[in-house]
Amino acid sequence: MQTTNGTAGLPLPRGKAFAGMAGAYSALYTPFKKDGSLNEEMIEKVIDYGLSRGLRGFYLTGSTGEGFLLSKDERKRVYARAAKAAKGRAKLIAHVGCLATDDAVELAKFAAKTGIDWVSSVAPVYFGQCFDAAYDHYRRISSATDLPFMIYSLGADIVPDRDAKFFDLKNVKGMKYTNYKYWTVQALRNRLSKEVIFFAGICELAGANDFVAAAKLQDEVVRFVEQLIAKPNGSWHKSMMKYIGLDCGEGRAPNGRHLSKDELKDLFARLDALGFVRRNDARK
């Protein structure tokens, strides 16, 4: 596949869909107020902060964004507010996955009207967990708009010969891969005859072949993630945003459960001990 030099020196496939897609992206926490309602103002603050620290884009209402715990209206409001905040400064990918394919199609169409750059979805959840159902699910969502579509492979094993068929769909141009069997991603890519992009943790330092510095950064990432997953509680995870000065509230049940003062103190002490995460960084 032909590539061009992307932002931050990373290679990009040729084509309008991929312009500006290189660099670091963040899965956006969906911020809530104390009463559990959507905090749209904080969406703008989180995006402004991320851009000031070098992020190139944001993935909206995915797993981190608690998309399946939001109403369709809330997800639409996230898309609209993020588009307003980004103002063309960042690429936005809207995860529209829903239990019902019709709902996902509705969200995809709204995202396109709002100014989102890409649409994405996990495979069918609970119902339709077979290849034929997943293919139809992706076909209907990806064809609902003219936006490029990104498959979201979350925790599932890639079967290269099988999964290559998804990329026969016109607007399917990428995959967000959340797993650790990266050799299967390479095997899948080798079977494709079209330009595609994979989101799988490649960073600027690796793109520049500076693996000494990349290894140091990766070590910090691992140590941070160890604290992130220390407790299976979405409120624990989102409180890391509070640590840097961006209060995104707590996780929505059953993902999140209220943190006591002692638990919050423990979390902050763990982050202090890391030495590379700056408390109240967003307020400086």
Side-chain angles (χ1 to χ4, degrees), residues 27-254:
L28 188 81
Y29 282 111
T30 298
F32 299 132
K33 298 177 182 178
K34 289 184 178 180
D35 63 3
S37 62
L38 187 64
N39 188 341
E40 294 187 47
E41 181 181 355
M42 185 56 66
I43 292 173
E44 295 200 30
K45 291 181 179 180
V46 172
I47 287 177
D48 284 341
Y49 171 76
L51 291 176
S52 73
R53 297 304 186 270
L55 291 181
R56 303 295 181 179
F58 300 87
Y59 192 88
L60 311 174
T61 70
S63 303
T64 299
E66 300 176 280
F68 281 101
L69 299 177
L70 305 177
S71 68
K72 283 192 294 183
D73 178 67
E74 286 176 319
R75 291 174 80 165
K76 290 177 180 179
R77 287 162 58 196
V78 171
Y79 305 155
R81 195 66 177 233
K84 176 185 176 182
K87 299 174 183 175
R89 299 179 296 160
K91 292 290 185 178
L92 299 177
I93 306 169
H95 173 255
V96 300
C98 293
L99 280 172
T101 303
D102 286 345
D103 290 338
V105 167
E106 178 184 335
L107 289 176
K109 290 180 177 179
F110 181 86
K113 293 178 182 178
T114 306
I116 299 297
D117 299 288
W118 281 62
V119 172
S120 180
S121 176
V122 291
V125 177
Y126 194 83
F127 297 104
Q129 294 185 321
C130 65
F131 178 81
D132 289 344
Y135 185 90
D136 185 63
H137 184 70
Y138 285 141
R139 178 188 61 79
R140 291 183 57 195
I141 301 171
S142 65
S143 64
T145 77
D146 291 328
L147 294 181
F149 182 86
M150 182 177 290
I151 292 171
Y152 183 7
S153 178
L154 176 62
D157 286 339
I158 288 177
V159 180
D161 288 332
R162 178 197 68 189
D163 296 341
K165 297 175 184 177
F166 289 132
F167 291 85
D168 291 338
L169 297 170
K170 179 181 177 182
N171 290 329
V172 174
K173 297 183 182 296
M175 174 182 282
K176 181 178 185 290
Y177 178 71
T178 305
N179 208 331
Y180 61 92
K181 299 179 181 178
Y182 290 105
W183 69 271
T184 63
V185 176
Q186 185 63 46
L188 170 60
R189 185 172 182 175
N190 290 341
R191 286 160 172 77
L192 304 180
S193 60
K194 63 191 289 186
E195 299 287 357
V196 298
I197 191 170
F198 286 88
F199 273 36
I202 302 300
C203 69
E204 180 178 356
L205 292 171
N209 290 320
D210 188 351
F211 288 99
V212 173
K216 179 179 182 298
L217 182 60
Q218 181 66 26
D219 177 67
E220 292 182 351
V221 169
V222 170
R223 288 193 285 141
F224 177 81
V225 171
E226 285 180 334
Q227 299 309 319
L228 178 70
I229 64 175
K231 294 189 178 182
N233 183 346
S235 297
W236 174 272
H237 308 156
K238 292 179 81 170
S239 291
M240 291 185 169
M241 297 296 289
K242 184 180 294 184
Y243 178 87
I244 64 170
L246 295 167
D247 190 347
C248 291
E250 297 193 334
R252 183 168 286 181

